[in-house]
Amino acid sequence: MKLTPFDDEYFMRKALQEAEIAFEKGEIPVGVVVVIDEKIIARGHNLTELLNDVTAHAEMQSITAAANYLGGKYLKNCTMYVTLEPCQMCAGALYWAQISNLVFAAGDPERGFRKMGTKLHPKTKVKFGIMETEASQLLKKFFIQKRNLN
């Protein structure tokens, strides 16, 4: 089946490519793309190790890039595709950015915004489970490698 640029799976695959970049850099493999009008306007992946910054999550990187692209702080009419459920910090930033749609692949039952009780903006629509298996496998691979190196 050929994917089209108008398909959630197409955009999640692009987010997974960002997660692969993070993996290769030794970062927790989380990737993001932000889309408006079926066009990717921002990409990001975790950079917490490289930048020595606990706030350098993929979502935070892409919120900044998307806001710069749009010339404003609000991400109305945008969709964020992210390979892992955002944490409460990132969910809080998405709340303030007023993202219209959030699509994530794998849930995070330990640190995800839903577990922590963090709310998104009331107008934000959420979908999850898109390419969950692929995202989960990459995360598991990363942590198995990390454990074997220590």
Side-chain angles (χ1 to χ4, degrees):
M1 177 178 119
K2 187 171 180 348
L3 299 173
T4 69
F6 312 108
D7 180 282
D8 283 339
E9 204 171 298
Y10 173 87
F11 291 117
M12 190 59 76
R13 193 166 305 284
K14 297 296 184 185
L16 276 165
Q17 289 171 354
E18 289 295 318
E20 290 279 354
I21 293 168
F23 181 90
E24 295 302 321
K25 291 179 178 179
E27 299 278 355
I28 294 174
V30 176
V32 172
V33 295
V34 178
V35 176
I36 191 168
D37 297 329
E38 298 162 348
K39 177 183 179 187
I40 296 172
I41 62 168
R43 298 171 185 270
H45 54 271
N46 275 357
L47 292 171
T48 58
E49 300 300 322
L50 183 70
L51 297 178
N52 199 29
D53 179 356
V54 296
T55 68
H57 290 193
E59 298 94 329
M60 302 298 272
Q61 303 297 314
S62 65
I63 288 168
T64 300
N68 286 335
Y69 178 89
L70 294 171
K73 61 187 176 184
Y74 298 117
L75 303 183
K76 293 178 181 176
N77 302 315
C78 291
T79 300
M80 175 179 282
Y81 292 86
V82 59
T83 59
L84 181 64
E85 178 182 353
C87 69
Q88 65 181 355
M89 174 185 69
C90 294
L94 290 168
Y95 177 97
W96 290 110
Q98 298 180 26
I99 191 94
S100 293
N101 301 287
L102 171 65
V103 181
F104 63 89
D108 186 347
E110 298 297 318
R111 294 183 182 91
F113 76 92
R114 296 177 300 169
K115 165 77 173 174
M116 301 300 212
T118 306
K119 303 286 185 213
L120 294 172
H121 192 275
K123 292 183 180 177
T124 300
K125 294 181 184 114
V126 179
K127 263 203 243 185
F128 55 90
I130 310 292
M131 301 189 73
E132 180 177 13
T133 301
E134 295 87 337
S136 294
Q137 286 173 344
L138 184 59
L139 285 159
K140 286 175 187 164
K141 180 179 168 184
F142 174 81
F143 286 110
I144 287 169
Q145 282 186 6
K146 190 159 181 74
R147 269 185 247 120
N148 289 337
L149 292 176
N150 293 334

